[in-house]
Amino acid sequence: MMRSTRSLRLSAFVLFALGSSALAGPAEDLSRAAMAALPGLQIGSGAVGESRDEGGAAVLANITYSSTGERPIGVKIATVTVTGGIGATDALTNSRVVLQGVEGTAADGQSYKIDSVEIAGAQGSLAALLGSLATREPFFQGANEATITGYSAQTITVPSLTLQRRRDGKMEQAAYRDVRLTNYQRGRVGELVIGGIVTSPTEGQTGSRVEIGTSRFIGLDTATGVRTGNATAVALESGSLGTIRGTGTNGTPFTIESITFGKISTRPGERSLVALSQAMQEIDPSSTNEETRRRSMGLLAELLARLDIERVEMAGFRGQTEARQPVVMNRFALAGVSQGKIASFEFAGMQVSANNQDTSIGRITVEGIDATGLLALAKDFSEGRFSAGQPVPPTAYPDIRRVVAEDIDVKQGTTRLAKVGRFEVESGQRIGLMPSRLRAKLTGFEAPITGAQRAQVAPIGLTNLVKLAAEIDLEYVDTARELRARNITIEVDDVGSLKLVTAIGGLERAQIEGLPNSAAVLGLSAKAGATTLTFTEDGGVAALIAHSAQQAGVNEDDFKEQLKEQATALIGQFIQDRALAETISEAIGEFIDDPSSLAITLKPKGDIPLAALAVSMRGSPFAVLPMFTIEVKANE
């Protein structure tokens, strides 16, 4: 009995379908599986123009797809060739993947081109590998976490990569050569090596051309750049940039021998760091638009708050000023950057020529910088809670705990204008704008004595060079409501030293916190404390007495007697207490006879407002003497 024609047609269709499936081959299966998997990786649907099998390899040709989101990237790939480890899905098993003719384009004109990419020992999803290219800077920043972490590879080799990208609101071209990623494990890169980088402005744009030599990065986690959420992660274990050559914004050339990086970690946030940086690069920093400035400040504050940097060090900077004078800095180091705080930064081996002067600085170190208040103000500005023209709150000013400068030398030709051996400043915890403690010390200062200055200082024994040191030690004592100057000293070699110890009372903490707005109230409440002024001889007084005696045409002993008589008469005019006047005269006479030291102590008789002292001193400084108990000691 004959079968019906309907049954025959159905059987033919089944045979055709089964035959087509069997004839599709690995390339077609891989193509379908990869394209089907793209939407699940936050990548738009894709298309493959042709799939074919060639000698054990699967070849996909004319592939197109794009990323999703606010800044989509369209990707075109001429061919993808996969050998080894091809299954029925898009899974790769120790496969070799070669991509040729890869292009990515964004709607705003940013783009990239790669002639070829070779991926050895590939594992995971081909769709994820393809999707990871849907970004502005493939292999350096990912499209999203799903694509970056969706595959692994023993090596990824990119002979050349050219980018058209936006930096500071302007377009530039960046050409990378000999890029190699080793031990790529789901977003983590064991080592990234870049043979060279050249950046330059695109046609019609202004900017600088910069060349960077071989660069190396160890322990790079590309997923941290696109990740959001609550996890803190290490983005880079260490890295270095090779020799950098280029021109600055003023057109002058510069070179940098190297830049090295320590560990860099990222903190969580609602937006990825890649999204933040892309938004920042689209903003023109020279814009005067208020909304643009607010947005830029907010992005910068968020980026700084989310990066922890162990250290960054630059070596061998050589450049020029706008006047084409040389600038040298042998070393710059930045350490311990975290959420607006910086452990330290340092400049070393600096040399600058300007205005016919050559300045060299051995080292400048700044430690304990806290700019968290400044970041908070930037956020307030970006969100409209603070505007330009409003008073800046004291908390916004950076707090700096220590500054050290060493070996500063200023010359004009072969003539030294000034030299500083070491200058150091330390400050304690701040009260408003005021540090609770301030210590400063200057040593090794030298300056030549020239022209009319020589005649002015010759009487105290100085002829060609002045050498001095200085020291300050101030502290606010909260419990006593006093600002205590424990030590203010100036010491001149071969002349002597002058030391002041004093205190100012009646200073309420709340008034100090309110500075500068509370300055008037603080001035009215401030009270004089005990004060001691001590001069220690180092040859200056003896030289002055000898010089003055010679000018007067008398011997030194006779001149000293004249000085003592004049001092006694002057003291008697202003101090009515005869016993006190006699005691002071005796002490000064003893110092004149044998200059060693002279100390004058003033102790206030009760509370004496500084404002009252200022009024009394308008007529004569000596008018305030009755307000104090006076003590003078010589040679102790």
Side-chain angles (χ1 to χ4, degrees):
M1 187 175 189
M2 296 264 317
R3 299 173 64 182
S4 70
T5 57
R6 179 179 177 184
S7 298
L8 289 172
R9 287 198 299 269
L10 180 59
S11 299
F13 177 78
V14 171
L15 286 172
F16 177 79
L18 292 173
S20 298
S21 176
L23 293 173
E28 184 66 27
D29 291 342
L30 184 65
S31 170
R32 290 174 179 172
M35 294 301 102
L38 285 178
L41 298 170
Q42 303 172 38
I43 302 295
S45 59
V48 178
E50 179 187 3
S51 302
R52 63 182 184 272
D53 297 302
E54 291 184 357
V59 179
L60 315 184
N62 300 323
I63 304 169
T64 58
Y65 57 92
S66 66
S67 61
T68 58
E70 295 180 1
R71 297 177 175 85
I73 301 289
V75 180
K76 294 191 299 182
I77 305 175
T79 61
V80 176
T81 303
V82 183
T83 56
I86 304 173
T89 67
D90 77 326
L92 304 172
T93 306
N94 197 26
S95 305
R96 177 177 178 266
V97 182
V98 176
L99 298 88
Q100 292 182 313
V102 184
E103 297 182 12
T105 307
D108 59 3
Q110 298 188 70
S111 63
Y112 71 82
K113 289 185 179 181
I114 304 173
D115 291 336
S116 66
V117 180
E118 181 176 345
I119 303 169
Q123 305 275 356
S125 165
L126 176 63
L129 190 158
L130 297 177
S132 70
L133 302 174
T135 179
R136 285 169 168 77
E137 300 187 19
F139 306 113
F140 306 137
Q141 62 175 224
N144 56 58
E145 188 172 1
T147 58
I148 290 176
T149 60
Y151 74 101
S152 299
Q154 294 174 1
T155 60
I156 301 174
T157 304
V158 185
S160 66
L161 164 63
T162 303
L163 307 175
Q164 299 280 345
R165 64 189 182 190
R166 190 174 300 278
R167 287 290 183 270
D168 298 331
K170 298 179 181 179
M171 293 295 292
E172 72 170 17
Q173 177 176 287
Y176 295 77
R177 61 178 175 80
D178 300 330
V179 179
R180 184 179 178 86
L181 293 81
T182 304
N183 192 22
Y184 179 90
Q185 298 295 323
R186 299 190 179 277
R188 296 179 182 273
V189 184
E191 181 183 51
L192 166 63
V193 178
I194 304 172
I197 307 170
V198 178
T199 65
S200 57
T202 58
E203 185 176 354
Q205 298 283 329
T206 59
S208 304
R209 174 184 170 86
V210 177
E211 300 179 10
I212 304 175
T214 301
S215 303
R216 180 172 284 102
F217 304 91
I218 306 298
L220 174 66
D221 188 350
T222 59
T224 59
V226 297
R227 185 177 291 138
T228 59
N230 300 318
T232 298
V234 175
L236 178 70
E237 291 290 349
S238 63
S240 63
L241 300 179
T243 301
I244 302 170
R245 296 181 175 88
T247 55
T249 55
N250 58 1
T252 58
F254 71 88
T255 61
I256 299 172
E257 290 181 7
S258 65
I259 298 177
T260 57
F261 306 89
K263 184 181 294 183
I264 299 176
S265 302
T266 62
R267 293 179 179 271
E270 294 181 1
R271 291 183 289 186
S272 72
L273 292 176
V274 168
L276 279 175
S277 62
Q278 287 178 349
M280 288 180 63
Q281 295 301 342
E282 293 170 359
I283 295 175
D284 182 356
S286 63
S287 174
T288 57
N289 179 270
E290 182 75 5
E291 184 59 34
T292 300
R293 291 175 61 238
R294 289 183 185 275
R295 182 165 172 258
S296 174
M297 195 68 70
L299 290 169
L300 179 61
E302 184 177 353
L303 187 64
L304 292 176
R306 291 178 57 190
L307 286 177
D308 290 353
I309 303 173
E310 183 181 69
R311 64 175 179 85
V312 177
E313 184 170 332
M314 179 187 73
F317 174 84
R318 304 289 185 274
Q320 294 181 356
T321 65
E322 291 187 2
R324 298 302 192 267
Q325 294 296 306
V327 177
V328 173
M329 181 164 52
N330 290 334
R331 179 175 179 268
F332 169 77
L334 180 71
V337 179
S338 179
Q339 294 187 296
K341 295 182 179 180
I342 303 173
S344 67
F345 65 83
E346 178 178 295
F347 304 89
M350 296 179 63
Q351 298 176 23
V352 181
S353 296
N355 302 320
N356 296 320
Q357 293 182 2
D358 299 321
T359 301
S360 65
I361 302 173
R363 178 174 71 103
I364 296 178
T365 302
V366 182
E367 298 176 348
I369 305 130
D370 186 346
T372 53
L374 185 61
L375 287 187
L377 182 68
K379 184 178 181 181
D380 287 344
F381 177 72
S382 69
E383 296 176 358
R385 293 188 296 271
F386 179 84
S387 299
Q390 289 182 257
V392 177
T395 54
Y397 290 92
D399 191 1
I400 299 174
R401 292 304 173 89
R402 186 169 180 258
V403 179
V404 178
E406 293 181 324
D407 300 326
I408 301 172
D409 202 352
V410 182
K411 293 182 178 180
Q412 191 168 48
T414 58
T415 302
R416 172 170 287 145
L417 301 181
K419 179 182 178 182
V420 174
R422 180 182 174 90
F423 177 65
E424 181 175 0
V425 179
E426 292 185 1
S427 64
Q429 187 173 0
R430 220 169 55 185
I431 303 172
L433 293 175
M434 295 286 292
S436 58
R437 183 154 195 176
L438 181 65
R439 296 174 179 173
K441 189 173 185 179
L442 171 69
T443 56
F445 176 86
E446 297 181 7
I449 301 170
T450 58
Q453 298 173 345
R454 189 172 282 118
Q456 295 171 354
V457 299
I460 58 174
L462 298 178
T463 54
N464 299 315
L465 190 68
V466 59
K467 299 181 180 181
L468 65 82
E471 190 170 353
I472 297 174
D473 187 350
L474 307 175
E475 182 180 15
Y476 174 73
V477 181
D478 200 352
T479 55
R481 297 181 302 159
E482 280 188 343
L483 176 62
R484 294 175 181 172
R486 302 181 186 277
N487 178 20
I488 300 177
T489 300
I490 298 176
E491 181 178 355
V492 181
D493 285 8
D494 302 322
V495 175
S497 65
L498 193 63
K499 179 179 180 180
L500 173 67
V501 177
T502 188
I504 301 174
L507 305 179
E508 298 288 348
R509 183 185 181 92
Q511 295 171 348
I512 296 175
E513 289 175 340
L515 287 172
N517 296 333
S518 61
V521 177
L522 195 66
L524 292 174
S525 62
K527 297 177 175 61
T531 300
T532 298
L533 185 64
T534 304
F535 175 79
T536 302
E537 164 72 348
D538 191 26
V541 172
L544 181 60
I545 289 175
H547 174 82
S548 300
Q550 184 181 14
Q551 294 291 312
V554 298
N555 63 51
E556 287 189 30
D557 289 340
D558 291 340
F559 185 74
K560 288 180 179 179
E561 291 300 320
Q562 293 177 15
L563 281 180
K564 288 190 286 185
E565 291 175 3
Q566 293 172 3
T568 299
L570 184 63
I571 291 167
Q573 288 181 17
F574 295 100
I575 298 180
Q576 304 303 316
D577 186 331
R578 294 306 171 191
L580 176 60
E582 184 176 344
T583 301
I584 294 174
S585 297
E586 288 177 357
I588 291 178
E590 182 181 345
F591 176 74
I592 292 173
D593 284 334
D594 181 20
S596 177
S597 67
L598 184 68
I600 302 171
T601 300
L602 303 178
K603 295 181 180 179
K605 298 175 180 178
D607 290 343
I608 304 176
L610 292 184
L613 281 179
V615 172
S616 299
M617 291 177 67
R618 289 177 182 174
S620 169
F622 298 103
V624 302
L625 294 181
M627 301 180 185
F628 295 89
T629 298
I630 304 172
E631 184 178 41
V632 180
K633 294 181 179 180
N635 302 336
E636 290 190 357

